Amino acid sequence: MKLIILACFATVALAAPQLGPDHNLRQRPIAILKDERQDLGNGEFTYTFETENGITESRRGYRGSKGQINMEGVYRFPLPDGTIAEVRYVADENGFNAQSPLIPTPHPLPAHAIEQIRFAEEQRARGVTFPDY
């Protein structure tokens, strides 16, 4: 009888939801629907990836003017409200540049700051300098 009770407890313990390291319920694995890669061997490549839960990425690599490998691409993923987020990016001689409505932007400068910058540029153009103390 004790063996049956112990077996029941073990069954219940194994059937309990498993928690991940962040103490959230582990989700089932997500199927990869597409994973296409092409490497031309000279720094040029293409990459396309898609999962069943709506995550996608496509990327293209090409040689840059200074010998580096540049990349441009886009990735998309579903947001909790059901809409799809999109981030487009370029990584090249000018650094990494991403564009998306999701990326925070700085507040616009107030009018008085813009006027001070304009005035300083005007003074610089006239040759006005100030000593460094």
Side-chain angles (χ1 to χ4, degrees):
M1 181 69 166
K2 290 181 183 179
L3 184 60
I4 293 174
I5 293 173
L6 183 60
C8 289
F9 279 130
T11 303
V12 169
L14 290 173
Q18 301 295 308
L19 294 179
D22 56 357
H23 303 291
N24 290 327
L25 289 178
R26 289 188 185 150
Q27 296 181 350
R28 67 174 179 80
I30 304 299
I32 297 172
L33 303 177
K34 181 192 274 188
D35 186 353
E36 297 175 357
R37 302 161 191 250
Q38 182 181 24
D39 185 349
L40 300 179
N42 62 357
E44 294 185 21
F45 68 89
T46 59
Y47 170 69
T48 304
F49 180 82
E50 181 180 345
T51 64
E52 71 176 329
N53 65 348
I55 297 171
T56 64
E57 180 184 2
S58 63
R59 181 183 328 167
R60 178 177 81 87
Y62 53 95
R63 300 206 41 93
S65 65
K66 298 181 181 175
Q68 80 283 357
I69 305 302
N70 293 342
M71 288 189 285
E72 62 183 41
V74 58
Y75 59 91
R76 296 177 184 91
F77 55 93
L79 295 172
D81 67 2
T83 61
I84 301 295
E86 179 177 282
V87 178
R88 294 186 171 277
Y89 62 91
V90 173
D92 60 12
E93 297 86 359
N94 301 311
F96 181 79
N97 182 342
Q99 297 177 347
S100 173
L102 298 172
I103 299 174
T105 57
H107 293 288
L109 290 174
H112 71 277
I114 293 171
E115 175 57 25
Q116 288 176 335
I117 293 168
R118 186 205 58 75
F119 182 69
E121 288 172 352
E122 183 181 289
Q123 287 182 320
R124 226 176 271 118
R126 289 193 325 226
V128 175
T129 60
F130 296 94
D132 292 333
Y133 293 104

